[in-house]
Amino acid sequence: MTTIDIVQGDLTKQSVDAIVNAANSTLLGGGGVDGAIHAAAGPALLEECRRLRQTTFKDGLPVGQAVATGAGNLPCRWVIHTVGPNWHRGQTDPALLADCFVNALLVGAGIGARSIAFPAISAGVYGWDIDEVARVATQAVRADPPVTIDLIRFVLFSVRDFEAFKRVLP
């Protein structure tokens, strides 16, 4: 049975098997969650992401897909990178956003993760409304989570984001 919970806090400090990075398609770091994860993980994460860009994802990671790397200095074992849809670029289909959560779970199950922590993908600079992100995210992970995942945790940095998830996930 999978447990789904929400916490307010810092994603980079979660003691879970894998954390999910709201990455940009370059996989080379950025702002917000992506920047915080790269800063906390140290240079090993950037090096591994550069290798992915030189081999598997020469054109970048597509929106909605996910890929795992090591976690560098983070307290978790893996970072699962996914690129959320950018509302400002017209990527407004909730199915694209749901793909981020579902594919991150599938990648996590594939590497043997039993616990995964997610941020509010696309709710920051990508412009999605936090209430919509909370609704789509919780529906996506409830729909058919891989049975090998024991814990799915949403880690929200702000009170506002935490409250939005709390409204849809009592």
Side-chain angles (χ1 to χ4, degrees), residues 130-145:
I130 186 59
D131 291 310
E132 179 73 356
V133 171
R135 183 189 64 74
V136 170
T138 55
Q139 285 178 354
V141 302
R142 283 178 167 164
D144 192 20

Side-chain angles (χ1 to χ4, degrees), residues 67-111:
V67 64
T69 63
N73 298 327
L74 292 164
C76 57
R77 189 167 171 193
W78 299 286
V79 175
I80 300 169
H81 308 266
T82 188
V83 179
N86 188 326
W87 188 273
H88 305 299
R89 292 186 181 162
Q91 298 167 340
T92 59
D93 183 356
L96 280 175
L97 182 58
D99 284 347
C100 294
F101 294 95
V102 171
N103 288 328
L105 287 175
L106 292 172
V107 167
I111 59 177

Side-chain angles (χ1 to χ4, degrees), residues 23-26 59-63 83-93 96 122 124-128:
N24 62 53
S25 65
T26 71
D59 295 327
L61 183 65
V63 172
V83 179
N86 188 326
W87 188 273
H88 305 299
R89 292 186 181 162
Q91 298 167 340
T92 59
D93 183 356
L96 280 175
S122 290
V125 297
Y126 280 19
W128 279 69

